[in-house]
Every structure is written in C-alpha cells, then in structure tokens.
Amino acid sequence: MPSLKRKVEAKPEAPLKKQKSSQPTRSAVSILKDEEPAFPRGGASVLTPLEHKQIQIRAKQDVLFEQSTGKKVRAYDSEDEENEDEEPFEEETGKAKTKRKLTTNGKRQNVSGTSRENTVKIEGLSYKRLVPGSMVLGQVAQINRYDIALTLPNNLTGYIPITSISDKVTAVVETLAAADDSSSDGEGNGHSTDELNLRSVVAIGQYLRAYVSSTNGSTGSGARGRKHVELSINPKQANYGLKRGDLLVNSMVQAVVSSVEDHGVVMSLGLEDTTIRGFMSSKEIGDVRKYAEIKEGAVYLCLITGLSSNGNIIKLSANTERIGNVKRSNFLTDAPSIDCFLPGTAVEVLVSELTTSGLAGKVMGLLDVTADVIHSGAAASGKSLEKKYSVGTKIKGRVICTFPGYEDKKLGISLLDHILGFTPLSLQSDDKHVSPITALPISSIVEHARVAKVVPGFGVFVDLGAKGVRGFVHISHLSDKKVETVSETTGPYKLGTIHRARILSYNPVDGLFLASFEQSILELQFLRLEDVEVGQIINGKVSKLIVNAAGIGGVLVSVTESISGLVPEMHLADVQLQHPEKKFREGLSVTARVLSIDLEKRHMRLTLKKSLINSDAVVWSSYQKLVVGMQAPGTLVNILSTGAVVQFYGPVRGFLPVSQMSDSYIEDPKQHFRVGQVVNVNITSIDNAENRMTVSCRDPISFGVLQQKKLAELKPGAKVDGIVSEKTAEEIIVELNDSGLKAYLPFEHLVDGSAAKCLAAAKKVRVGQGLQNLMVISKNEIKRIIRLTNKPSLIRAYPSGGLPASLEELTVGQEVSGFVKNIIPAGIFVQFAGDLTGFLSVKYLGDDVSGMPDFGMRKQQSISARVQSIHHSQNRFSLTQKPILANDAGKNINSTDFQLTDRALSNPIDGISASIDDFTLGRLTKVKIVSIKETQMNVQLADGVQGRIDVSQVFDSWEDIKDRKHPLKSFNTKQILSARILGVHDSRNHRFLPITHSNKAPVFEVSVKPTEQTEAELDILTLEKVQQDSLWLVFVNNIAEDCLWVNLSPNVRGRIRIMDVSDDVSLLADLASNFPIGSALRARVLHVDSANNRLDLSARSGASSAMTTMQDLSIGMILPGRVTKVTERYIMVQLSEQLSAPVHLVDMVDDYSTADPTTYQKNQTVRVCISNLDLPNKKITLSTRSSKILSSSLPVKDPEITSVGQLKVNDVVRGFIKNVADNGVFVTLSSSVTGYVRVTDLSDSFIKDWKSQFQVDQLVTGKIIAVDPLLHHIQMSLKQSVLSKDYQPLLTYADVEVGQVITGRIRKVEDFGVFIVVDNSTNVSGLCHRSEIAEERVNNVRGLYEEGDAVKAKVLKIDLEKRRISFGLKASYFATQSAQSESDDNDNDDGGGIQVVDDSDDDSEELQLRNTQVDVRNVGELQDSNALLGNDDLEVDLEVDVLNDTVSKKQQVTKGLDTTGFDWTGGMTNTSQNVVHSDPEGEVQPQKKKRRKAELKIDRTGDLDSNGPQSVADFERLLLGQPNSSILWLSYMAFELQLSEVSKARGIAERAIRTINQGSETDSELLNVWVAYLNLENTYGTDETVEEIFKRACEYNDPEEMHSRLASIYIQSGKTEKAETLLQAMVKKFSQDPKVWLNHATFLFDTMAAPQRARDLLPRALQSLPKHHHVDLTSKFAQLEFRSVNGDAERGRTIFEGLLSTFPKRLDLWNVMLDLEIKAGDKDQVRRLFGRVTSSKLKAKKAKYFFKRWLEYEEREGDAQSCEKVKARAAEYVRQQVTDKS
C-alpha cells in the first residue's frame, strides 16, 4: 500500500544528489563525526568543506535560473512532483510558508525566522523512498527454497536471496554448487539439499533488520509496475556504520550464530573490528526456536544487555519479552553518534508536531523522527492524535526505517504496541487470542464493512468486525469503475457507510488488512492458488495448447487471470485422442478437477477425464485419511511387468500388483492396460507412516466373508476337489468346490515324472473337467493365492510327516520329500508344504549328478533327501542325499559357520597343537596345502581348521621366484610347509582380525617366508610403514581398465597405472597375458596417502617413472601413453595423471592415405613421440608416426612439416581439409602449418555447388603456388592441370567431331530419348533420340535405361551455335570397333554391345558388359518384370544393387525360358510408387548402383547362340566360366521351376551357396541366392522349411538384412500376419537402427491400414534410439502422415510444428515440410511456410535459396502479382541486411 502522508513545509535547502550505489554509504550531509562533539563551541560547522562547496554550487544554479526565467526555484519541486501521485494527503506543518533569499556567501536564510528544526516532513515508507542503502525493520512472512519474503512497513514486501542471509549459508551454497559441478562429472560427494533448509536459519514471524540492496526489476506491467525490492540481513550490511563506540546497552544489533556452545551461542556482528564478538546465553534465546534446534548461520535481531570490561564481548538477548519491555528500560538513552539509531532500536521521543497524517518529534533533542498515519496508531484506533498525545510529551517508539536520500538525518518510527513489544498482533475471539489471519482468513468476504476513516484521493479505512485490526481499501479497489476521489461527508464511501468487502492480504507489521469493494473481486471463485483445493471441480477456459515433438503434450486452462492449470496429455480424455487440437480450441470453456497443487512452484495439474470428474468417490489426497477397503478411481501412470503405479490426487499413489489386476491370469499387463487409463481400485493394504499403499482391481464384494473364512480354514496338506476354469501356458486354474476359491496347479505338479510326461498329462486336462484328491501345498492369504499339487510322492509323504510344513516338524536324519524351488551353483533350494524351504548343498548331492548341468534337476521336479542340520535361531535347515555319519549330524554345511562342539583339535598338522587356542599370533606351526590358486594357497592346520597363504607371504626376494608369471607353480597340493600365523583373514575387507575365542572356525592368515620363520618378533606390514621411493616385491591381484591392483602384503594393496607397468610398451597391449593375476613385479612407491588408504607404485625404471609434469618433457622424447578418447579426427592420449594431448591425423602415420583414428581403441596403450612443446601455452603435440617412434627406414610418403620454411613453390604435398569456408578451403599440412586454397584453385572445371565436393578431414593433394614465411601464409592449388604434367584438358563442344565415339553417362531419361553427358568434359551433353537407340523400334525408353547408366555413343550431328549434339547408340555404329576389341580379347561376339565406363574407382578404367544384346521387342515385358521385382514396401534408403537391374533389364530379355513370373529378389529393387523416401522434396530419386568389374565380365565358354541358354548343359557350361554369378544361378533355378522341378531348383540353390566364393566382392552374390532360396521356399515349401533356410541365411549374412528381405517376401506374397510378427521381432532385436522402426511404421500405415499402431511406435523408438536419431525419425514419421493414404496430414503438420519450434535452425526440416505442403497443394499453407522461413534469422546464402525457391513456386503456381510480392520481400531482406551491417 502506498504510504499515507501529507505535504509538509518545504525544507529551506535543496537535497544533495541521491545515492545511486547499492553499497552501504553514509549520508553526505549532517552525519556527526565520531571525533566531533554534538554541540561544537564557537559556532563551528559540522559540515565538511566539500559539503559547503556543493551547497554553493546549487545556490548559484538557482540564481541563474531565476535571472533567465523570472521564476523562483522551489527547493523540492522535483521531489514533490515525483511523489505527487503517491502522497496525496501530506500537509505542511509550518504556520506560514517560509521565504528564502541568498546571502552573500551563497547560503540560504529563512526570512520569516522559522527554524529549520520545526520544518520536518511527516512521511511513511514507499517504493520511491526505499532506495539502496536504506535500512528497514521487517517480519519474516514466507520461507521459500532459495529466498525469504520479508514483510515491511506500509504494505511493502522485500525478498532476501539465499546468498544475502549470512556468510555461513553462503558457504554452504558454494559447497553444494561445487558438489553439483563434480556430480555432473560422475563424482558426487553425497551433499544433501537438507543443508539448505532456511527454516533452521530464520523463523516465520521473526523480526529482522534488513538492508536494501536494490530496487530494480519491475514486477508489474507498464510504467506503474511495482519494483522488486532485494534485501540483505547479513550483519555486515544490517550493522553497517556501527563502530565499537556505538555498541551501547539497550541498542539493537543483528547477529549471526557462529558456533553453538554448551551454555550459549557465540555470535558474529559483521563489524570491521573482528575482535568484537557477541555471546547470547541459552536463557536469552527466546521463543523463536528451542536451544537444541539452533544451528550455525541462524540470524537474530538482538538487544545489547551488557559489555565486557575490554569491550570485546557483547552480551546479547533475543528474548522478545525482554526486548519488548520498553516502558521503563531497554530503550536507548545515550548515544555518541546518530549511527546508533538503526531500525529495531527503541527510543524516547519528544513530540513536536501532531497532524492528521501523523506526528513528528525529536530524539535527544537532536534527531528528527516521524510516524505516519499507520504507525502513529491513528489508523487502527480511529482517534485523533491530539486526543492521544500532546506536543511536548515524551513517548516510546521503535525505529522502523531510515531515509538516506535526504540531507538531514531522519528516521521513521512506529508507536504500535506489537512493534514496540516485538509480539504478534492477536485478537480476542471466544475467550481466546487468535491471529488476525485466523479470525479473517485471506479471500474471505466481510458482509458488513463500515468506513471508519477517509483519506481523500487515496482510500478509506474500514472496520471489518475484528476489534483491534482495521482494513484499508485503496481508491483503485473501491469499485470496478474508476473513482476519482472520496470524501468524508459525501459520496458512496463517506464515513459510516456499509459495504461488502473481500480480504486481499494482511500486513503483520502495519497490523492492517488490505481489502476490496470491487464486485468482480467479490464474485471470483478463487482469489489465490491457496484457495483451490485438491480434488475440487473448477471451470475454466483453454488458453494454450502445449506442442512437443510427439504432437499435443497438454493443455493450459485459465481459471482466473492469475490462476491457471496444466492438463497433461494423458488427462485430456478417457480415451486417447488422435487429434486433440481439433477438440480443444483456445477460448473453449471446460470443466476440470484438480489433481495436485504445488504451492512452492505455483503449479496446478488438472484432469478433463469424465470418469474422474463425474466420480462421487471420496478424493484420496492424503494417506492419513485412507483405510483398507476404500474404493476410488485412479489413473495408471506407469505399467511394469510386476504391476502398475496408480495415481490419485496430490501425492497419493498406489501400487497395483499384477495378481490384483484381474480375477483371470494376466501374463503381460501392457497387453491389457495402457498408461493414462482410469481404473477403479480398492485399498488392500496401507502404511500411513511410510506413505505406501497397495490397491486391487478385484471386486471386494466378490470375495465375501464366506470365502475369507474358507481361505483361513484351508491348511497346507488339505485334500480338495475342483473344476478346471482356465488353462494357461504353464499352469491350470482350478475353482475349488464348496468355497469357489481359485487355486493354481502348475503342469509340473500333475505327475512325478519327466517334463515331457508332465506336459502330456497337461494336454489331457480340459476346461470344465473335474479334478479330485488335489493337495494344498501352500497359500498366501494377503494375495489370495492357493497352490496345489497332484504329485503322488508328495501326497503319499504328507500323512507320515515326510512333507513338513514347519521347522518344528523336522528332526536330523529325517527323510523328507519336496520339489525343486531354485537352482544355484552352490546347490538346490528344496520347497516343502507351507513355503518351508531347505538348502541342499552341492557337496551333499549324489556323486552321479554333481557334475551335470543344473545337477540334472529342473524347477518343480520332485526330490527326496535327509535333514542334515537344523538351525532354529536362523529359521533354516540343510539337506543331504549322502549317508549321514554320526559325527556329521547337526553340522552346518557352510564352512564359515562350522560349529565346534569344543576347542579341541583333530589331527593337527604339526602334531603338537591340542586346541585351537594354541594358534596364537606369531606361532610357528605346520600347514598342508589343500589347493593352489593364482594369488593364494589354501592350507589346512587341522581337521576343520583352514588357513590361507597370500602369494606376497611366500618369497623373500625377486631372485627366489622361478616362474614370475605363475609364482606358485612350484608348489604342490598335500605339501607340508613351515608357517607362521599372522592373524585371522576377513574375506569381506581383506584385513587381519584379532584372534578371538569364537565358536566359529576362523580362517588363519599364515606366512611361509623363510625370513619370518627366524625373526624373533613379528612385524606386520601396514600402509603407514610404506615409504616413498622404496622398492617392493608386488603381486598382481586384479586387472582394471586403467591400472593393475597389486598386493605388497595381505592387507596392503596398491595400484600401478598402465603407463607405469613396464618400459616395454608392446607388453601393455595384452595385460592379461603378459601380467596375469598372481604374477610378480618389482615396483617403486610413487605416492602414499594413508588418510585415504591410497598407494601408487610404478614398475618402470626410476627415470621414466618420475615424469609427471610438462617441464620433464622434451621434443623427440618417446613415451608410452593410454588412449582415452577416439574420434574421427584425432585420438587423445594420456601420458600421466596430469598430462594428456591429442594425436591429429597429420601426426598419426607416414602415409596419410592410411590415417584412420578408428583403428585405435579406448584404453589401448601406444607409443608416442613429443613432436612439439609449447610450455607458455601448455600445449603438447604428439606423433605416432613409425618414422618417429620406431626409427623406421621405410619410405615416408608424407614427411612431417615443422615450419613454413620447409615448403617451396611447386612442392606437391598432401593434407587434410581443416575448414570449408565461403572463400575457399583450408588444408592442414601439419599440426602447425595450414595451407589455403582459393575457390578458383579447387578444380579445372566449374562446380556449381563446390562445397558439397569437399568435407572436413578429406585427404587432398595440392601444389604449393605461393609461400610467405613472414606472414606464415601458404597458398595451394588442387587443380589437376597444375598437379599433373600429363593433364589433358576437358572436352568442350568445339572438341567433339561428327563420327567420334565417346563414353558417357545417362543424365536424364525421357519418353523421346535419353540425354547423355560426355565423360571428362566441361559438362558437354546431347540427346540420343529413341530412333537412334536400337536397330528396331523402341516403345519404352525408360525400360532400357536409367539415370546414371554408363554408355558408349557415336556423335551423329553437332550444332555449335545452339550447343546441341545428337548421339547414336545403335549396335551397328560400333560393329567394327567392337569386333576389333573382342578379337584383341580373344572373345567371339557377333553383335554390338554397350561400353559402360565406371568412374567410381578410376576414371581411366572401363568395364565391358558383353553378351547383353538388347531385344527391343521385350521392352514391355521388361517393364512388367521390373514392377514385379521392385515392389519393396519396407526399405527406405536401401541401395539397389546392379545385380537386380541386370536381372530385370538385361538378363531377362533373352529369348530363352521366361523367368519374369517369379520374384527372386525378395524386394531387393525399389519402385518409386511404393517406397517412402527420406528425400525432403518427396520426389523419386535415382537409386545408386554398385559397379563391379571382374564378376560382370561374362566369359563365354561354349558356343551359345544369341538367344541364351536353352538346356541344363548350356547353364552348366556358362557356370564353368562364371561360378560366382548369381544371375546365372537364379536363371538356372527359374529354368528348373518352369519344368516343375522344385526339388532340382532347391539343389541348384544349395550348389550356388557352396560354390560362390565368400568375400567382400561376392557377398552380394551370395545374398541374392539366399533371398531367391527364401522366395522359393515361401512359394513351394512349408513354414518349417522357410524357417530352416532363414536361420541358415542369418548365419551367413547380415541378420538385419535377411529379416528385412523375408518381411518383404511375406508382404509381396500376401502373408501380412507373418510379416507383422517378423517386423515386431525386428524392432526388439534391432532397436538401434531407425530404419527398422520406420519400415514397421510404413507397413502398418500402407499394408495393414493401422495408422494408430504405427504412431504408437514413435515413443517406443525414441526411447530405444540414441538422441541424435530422434529428430530425423520424428520427421520421417510425420512424412508418413502426409504420404500414406491412411495418414493424417494435419497430425503431420502438428509434429513438424513441434520440431520447428524446438529446432528452428534446422533448414532441412523447413525444406521437408515445404515439399510436403507443395505436394499437398494447399497454396496458402505453402505461402505461409515460405513467409515464416524467410522471416527467420537466416544467413544470406540460405535466404537466397529460399527466396529463389519461393519465386520458382510462384512462377509455377501463382501469378505475376504473387511473384512481385516475393521479389519485394527479397529486396526488403537485402535492405535490412545492409542496414544491420552499417
């Protein structure tokens, strides 16, 4: 609330410039110096010379203003204008306005004679007066997680950040912040957020002094927004200005607890003099908190009660009863300076002025103080101040604020009782005191609010019916309409009028309610979020749809202007909405129910599910209000294999076990339930203390009292009858007669025999069949589960006690029957009746089964055994299948729990020890080796007494070890050794334990070192005894990823980094082989840290081990290193714990063409050479070149370039592209030398998009054309004309002659012919008309050629002016040349062929496809065959192999047997109309072809005619020359199928698989055969044969590829169910490949017409795939929505909008969406998209591309006007760019 005050008489002197710094500063004027007296003699001034100068300058400025304008200057004009709107009822307290004039010395004098002391302005606190440096008294109102809200006077509020409380709290914050940084690197230190609980530092209602740090940051809208006031309660700021002399008794200081002692707390005052400390007795703590709860960092506002003799110890009190007793004492009566009077201090005031706006007075006759209308008590009491006080009387008050912005020191005080007494204001209600908030809660409505006081132009004070507390209604809250002014005598708001009011807030410092008369406020359902209750039904309007990558992620619902809630996607409706955006539009009115409210975060979650909104069940919002049996609906938020999590309201959640989901058996809950589904549940168990609850979907009424009674009466062993009600894959569900209870009978419990016998018995059981004489084996009353058995062995054993149900029924030696519950390597758990379980150890099994897998047992199998031992205390027993000896009965099977009946020894090895007590520390004895392992020998001291010898306790010196890889190899079992006892071994922490008289047999730690046999005293090694640089004999205990763990002794363990294991780096490549566990090493101690139990050693030589810093390195030094990171550009090598450096491509090998960082593996050890060292910049350059690290004499193809001076003009060098810029390419020649290639030097030919031809890290060869050593510049050229002396210039149109034969590639295929581009030319191209393609008429050109096909053509005609060339492809044009060429190759051919040039590997190589004479009459058949072969509905980016094209276009046109009626490829080829491409424009892209050489050259070994093979002999002769050609094998199989010889076709397929060589070049040939074989079996075979061939194919080929091919085969053959099953298996098995998910979605969209199932795949795919695949896969799913006939284009748009909002800079997404919208044909949508993308922040090149594309679209689809609009927008973009740059 703005301050309540009136204007007072203007002060005679203008204030100095207001302080702008947020640092605590003292007022520039009227501050008494410590060394100056209060009343100086001789009229001396207390002003400094600087202050005098400032006053003079201001006076001169006023004179100049008056002379120029003729107007007089008012000293407070600017300030009065500033506060005019905010302070409407200030009044002048002087009787007459004073007149001022200037004296000769520039000082102002008061003409009227009125003294300055009588003209003090009465004003309260306001946002404008609350400037940085102000101090104010406040009360803690709210404690948040990271700040504290402090209520200030005059309805102001400030916030204290967590870092402005105390130094202790700040230190904790910094510690936690550092811990968060380290935990992000995986090094959490266990700090808890509990350390930041601010409630242990301050308390609600506590009074504190606050320092204003800043008032910046408007929290309101518009110019009148309220400022955010930032405060500090740190004593360093809150006590600013106090010195030792200012610390007087009864003054108030702020202090923070620095330590808690037994009888009190030591406190810090934050003063500059750190020797001054405070002490507060435990009796002076007060009621803020108990003494035991005080923690360091707590802040208190304390009263000084005393001082020590030297003044260093200040006695403090925070007891509010003592502080508030100011009637006779505890107020300040003396002060050396006015700095003592800080907020919180009680003072005695001499009243000098009384007005309607407050009172003014003086303290000690010196300091001006004011109390406004609120804090003078006038507002609360309603009485006139003249009746309560009189001028000249002395009253008590408490300082509440300072005004540092004024030249005269002035303070604000409060006379209110609760401020003086530091007590909370309370009201009398029903004979008890209650707080005002309790009497009148916030948001409550007062029906009769009476106007008690009117402040014109400001507001009214009202009586709200609470005696002692009034309310204030600001003029803006009087009515919904604007109220200009209010009056006490007239108008609707005059004194005594009654109104309805609503409580808006309460200020405990002012003791006032803030209320409103506005009708709109009165009608609001909720005023604050605190007014909303969880589970309440509310009405609101949709304000926004939340869009994410998956579509609509939720809806924001606005309840009021200040309250809104979020409806998550799962709570939009009871069913899953496909198009939520169509149902929920902005502004739509909805009814919702509140799910939860988070007041700290100000969040509210709602639900729109009708099943929850319309439910009449009790709202479950607290665990404490719930009891077992209650029923209510809940929402499934997580579904697990064991059950589901059900969410209710607020924090209440319950677990729904899978057994409680239904009365029927449920194997997989996800098949029956979905996330977001509403289920009705009842509580089966609840733990109110732990907030845990279990619920059930089962109807509690169906399980009645009778059934509960029957279940309780049912005991294990009881015989029951029942009827089979259900049968699952593993058990039978039986409904018991008479009771109706359901029980479970596993298949394994039907009979005693084998698994096959049990399964056979289960097959005979039918639903509805009656079963008799079943026995109850166990039951669970909580889960209502009954288990039955029909095993005859168990039924027979129960009457005689052979099937026990409790431990009390067992006796040692008793024979019992049960069944196998579980099998572990140590033995078998055997279950009996009533879930009683015993353990059968492996050593007590029969000798015939101990070595068999799972001991020859299976779960649920019947088994018999005898009771070996019983342990009632541990509630367990052991079994045996071996005969029980008399002395073994009752023994524990666990050797570590071996029970000794006495301490006597049996058969001691040394022959003299009689008792286990004889084995004392240091005793010499004899031991017998029982077993030998890598790191220890297990020995026996006597029967039942075990020991161990660590390998470190065997040898005295390095020379004693014969086999250093296997030191213990020289010992044998049963060997007897002399040993000395060291202690007892603890296997859990590998430490010695003291030898105690335990009833358990210990494992003794012994030593067989020869030196320890003779030493008098035993000296056990500890870590504290290990010295740095000492040498030790160590033994490998474990091999870690980056180090070896070694043992110095059984209890001293250290580590050796991999780099320090050996000087020979070659040994580090295989640590397990070269340094196996148990092997011996000699090591030197590098570092010992006993506190952290850490020991670092090195097994390298002393010089190499010491290298740890950069100063130890030198250029040329060869070191071992460990690879810590591998990328495509470099590897990172660690040299030591402190040093790591990269090895770049140019430093990796001597031949750059073999540089491949991926050949290295993480943690691999390598040798590196220091090639460069930059100590000032701490940079190291490493090299792994063979010439560097091995001194190799092999030729160095790419020598190392260390400086620019090494290079000369015309040198040819190689390097890797470092950067592709707009002006050229930068090439890395070495780690320190980079070359530059201009765009004009990149290629001899013009390349339109040259950047696409170059990429980072690409290896290029160039010639040096310029070197500047001074500037360190190198210029290169990559042109072939510069590099090669034999360079031949590219062909131009002028170079081509008529009759010339050229080679080229098909650039474009049209119905009227093909366009051919000439090889090695400047893009010279021409047309071959379809009449010139073949000798006969060609009806279908597209059936013969595709884009990219290599051809040989003859130039028929040239038109240089029009740059047109006509080509011919007829075979007759090349008859002479072809015959000559074939004669050179000793190959007979009577027809022309097509020469195909393959430049994929080398432009100079040519590939002749012979014997491919084209019969143009079969073109039509080719097209049909191609359509059949290319129907692949799965593969998206699958490359089409050249084999398939050859099969479909060339091989099948022969006049032999027609094979076009059968698809061998399994969808290996793709047709454009059936494949979903990832191309952004959605156009059909030419498929890539893999060119091969040798396997495509057909060596005709027989004299076959031009019609192709016609018989088996023909095929066999051709296969002799081409055994690896899958084309021939597939044609051979088709030939046999034409003759209905299916078995022979299978035999040919098997022959092909055995014959074709395996290798990278023939893998595709084998793949073709396997796919054809699968297709054959799918058509002519059975499911079993298909499965068999498929398994074999997966073993020889890529399993994912074979799965895709088989799925394609199933789709083409119409077996959609099998295809779907296979695709579902693929998404589980190959979940890391995004193509698998997309293929499955395409199948569901197009083939199954199930778009919703396809959409459900996307969330699963995003969970499985790495994050870098998410955007692309989401984009492709969105494309499916557009392209599929079953898709929804609107949903696709929604997904794209979500992607673009998240990734606005992904221009490929814009391109894809543009292509889709262009194809959809919505012109308005396309134009909007173009407008959006061109309006975004784009680089000039990208903007040019989109504007060009937009213009092309408008030229094609629009008109001239639309084209001009695009051009105008482009011109505007260019102008904007020029403006931004300028």
Side-chain angles (χ1 to χ4, degrees), residues 821-1111:
K821 180 180 181 181
N822 195 16
I823 303 172
I824 62 175
I828 301 173
F829 288 95
V830 182
Q831 184 175 341
F832 302 93
D835 291 329
L836 181 67
T837 304
F839 182 68
L840 176 59
S841 176
V842 60
K843 66 180 181 180
Y844 290 108
L845 283 168
D847 296 334
D848 55 337
V849 299
S850 59
M852 298 174 63
D854 290 341
F855 315 114
M857 298 287 181
R858 69 180 189 279
K859 289 185 179 181
Q860 307 293 332
Q861 180 179 343
S862 304
I863 188 173
S864 298
R866 292 182 180 273
V867 179
Q868 168 75 12
S869 61
I870 306 172
H871 306 288
H872 292 278
S873 60
Q874 300 175 358
N875 197 27
R876 65 181 185 180
F877 64 99
S878 58
L879 304 169
T880 180
Q881 287 186 332
K882 293 183 178 180
I884 301 178
L885 301 178
N887 58 348
D888 287 341
K891 286 186 179 180
N892 189 339
I893 62 171
N894 192 340
S895 61
T896 60
D897 294 336
F898 187 83
Q899 302 291 329
L900 294 175
T901 55
D902 53 36
R903 309 294 293 179
L905 294 178
S906 174
N907 300 321
I909 304 302
D910 59 5
I912 57 175
S913 299
S915 171
I916 195 172
D917 297 332
D918 294 339
F919 295 137
T920 59
L921 182 65
R923 176 184 173 88
L924 293 173
T925 183
K926 298 285 186 179
V927 296
K928 182 170 68 173
I929 299 175
V930 177
S931 62
I932 302 174
K933 299 182 179 180
E934 291 85 355
T935 59
Q936 69 180 37
M937 294 186 292
N938 295 326
V939 297
Q940 183 179 13
L941 286 77
D943 288 350
V945 181
Q946 308 295 327
R948 69 182 291 272
I949 306 173
D950 190 83
V951 65
S952 62
Q953 299 300 312
V954 177
F955 306 99
D956 280 326
S957 64
W958 175 259
E959 291 75 14
D960 296 340
I961 305 175
K962 297 179 180 178
D963 188 346
R964 284 157 187 166
K965 283 190 177 182
H966 307 284
L968 299 180
K969 194 174 182 180
S970 58
F971 295 90
N972 300 316
T973 56
K974 298 184 179 181
Q975 182 178 350
I976 296 178
L977 304 172
S978 297
R980 191 168 190 175
I981 297 178
L982 302 179
V984 177
H985 175 71
D986 185 0
S987 60
R988 291 173 296 181
N989 53 23
H990 304 285
R991 294 182 179 178
F992 293 141
L993 297 178
I995 299 178
T996 57
H997 298 286
S998 172
N999 62 347
K1000 295 181 179 181
V1003 177
F1004 289 98
E1005 191 78 46
V1006 299
S1007 172
V1008 294
K1009 282 186 176 181
T1011 55
E1012 293 190 354
Q1013 309 295 321
T1014 58
E1015 290 180 355
E1017 295 184 2
L1018 184 62
D1019 184 16
I1020 297 177
L1021 180 66
T1022 61
L1023 188 59
E1024 290 75 10
K1025 297 178 182 180
V1026 178
Q1027 300 296 323
Q1028 190 167 341
D1029 292 331
S1030 57
L1031 292 175
W1032 293 89
L1033 180 62
V1034 299
F1035 299 87
V1036 178
N1037 179 267
N1038 193 14
I1039 302 175
E1041 190 177 74
D1042 58 345
C1043 66
L1044 293 181
W1045 290 98
V1046 296
N1047 280 1
L1048 283 71
S1049 71
N1051 64 330
V1052 178
R1053 191 179 188 189
R1055 67 168 193 159
I1056 304 177
R1057 291 177 54 253
I1058 290 182
M1059 296 300 97
D1060 296 328
V1061 172
S1062 175
D1063 291 323
D1064 188 355
V1065 181
S1066 61
L1067 298 178
L1068 306 182
D1070 191 357
L1071 291 176
S1073 299
N1074 298 318
F1075 304 96
I1077 293 178
S1079 58
L1081 293 170
R1082 285 186 294 188
R1084 174 183 285 102
V1085 177
L1086 297 179
H1087 178 69
V1088 182
D1089 186 355
S1090 303
N1092 295 318
N1093 197 28
R1094 178 169 177 172
L1095 176 63
D1096 293 324
L1097 305 104
S1098 173
R1100 297 174 60 192
S1101 60
S1104 57
S1105 297
M1107 190 279 298
T1108 56
T1109 63
M1110 287 189 66
Q1111 285 72 20

Side-chain angles (χ1 to χ4, degrees), residues 73-111:
V73 180
R74 291 175 52 201
Y76 283 87
D77 277 349
S78 61
E79 184 179 357
D80 290 346
E81 290 174 4
E82 179 184 1
N83 297 333
E84 185 175 359
D85 295 334
E86 191 176 339
E87 305 162 5
F89 58 96
E90 289 185 6
E91 67 177 17
E92 297 181 3
T93 58
K95 301 299 181 181
K97 292 185 179 180
T98 60
K99 295 182 180 180
R100 293 163 293 169
K101 71 176 183 178
L102 290 175
T103 62
T104 55
N105 60 359
K107 297 184 179 180
R108 298 184 186 272
Q109 290 186 345
N110 198 321
V111 178

Side-chain angles (χ1 to χ4, degrees), residues 161-229:
I162 195 171
T163 55
S164 298
I165 298 174
S166 65
D167 292 341
K168 174 66 177 177
V169 175
T170 303
V172 173
V173 172
E174 293 173 349
T175 303
L176 293 178
D180 290 341
D181 293 340
S182 61
S183 64
S184 64
D185 299 330
E187 300 176 0
N189 56 6
H191 283 283
S192 172
T193 55
D194 294 340
E195 297 184 42
L196 277 177
N197 186 4
L198 299 184
R199 296 186 181 274
S200 63
V201 178
V202 296
I204 298 292
Q206 182 180 354
Y207 284 93
L208 294 171
R209 180 190 302 152
Y211 172 84
V212 179
S213 301
S214 77
T215 57
N216 297 327
S218 176
T219 60
S221 60
R224 290 233 174 238
R226 304 182 94 188
K227 294 182 180 178
H228 178 81
V229 181

